[in-house]
Amino acid sequence: MAKKVVATLQKKEGKNFAKVIKAVRSEKTGAYTFREEMVPVDQVKDTLAKK
């Protein structure tokens, strides 16, 4: 399955996107969860800066 995802991202449109994985801590339990997003390359810093 990973090969299919990688192959899909290799297309012309996919080269301008990055996968951002961010660790988010739950206020209720204190446990960390991971949030994944596909964002345009020029918006990576903005995505990481916001909570």
Side-chain angles (χ1 to χ4, degrees), residues 6-38:
V6 172
T8 304
L9 294 175
Q10 295 296 326
K11 292 182 182 178
K12 190 179 273 189
E13 306 88 34
K15 290 187 179 182
N16 295 327
F17 286 88
K19 185 175 188 178
V20 177
I21 302 172
K22 194 172 186 182
V24 180
R25 188 171 186 181
S26 171
E27 293 179 15
K28 191 174 186 180
T29 62
Y32 285 95
T33 58
F34 296 97
R35 186 175 65 204
E36 298 180 12
E37 293 182 58
M38 293 296 291

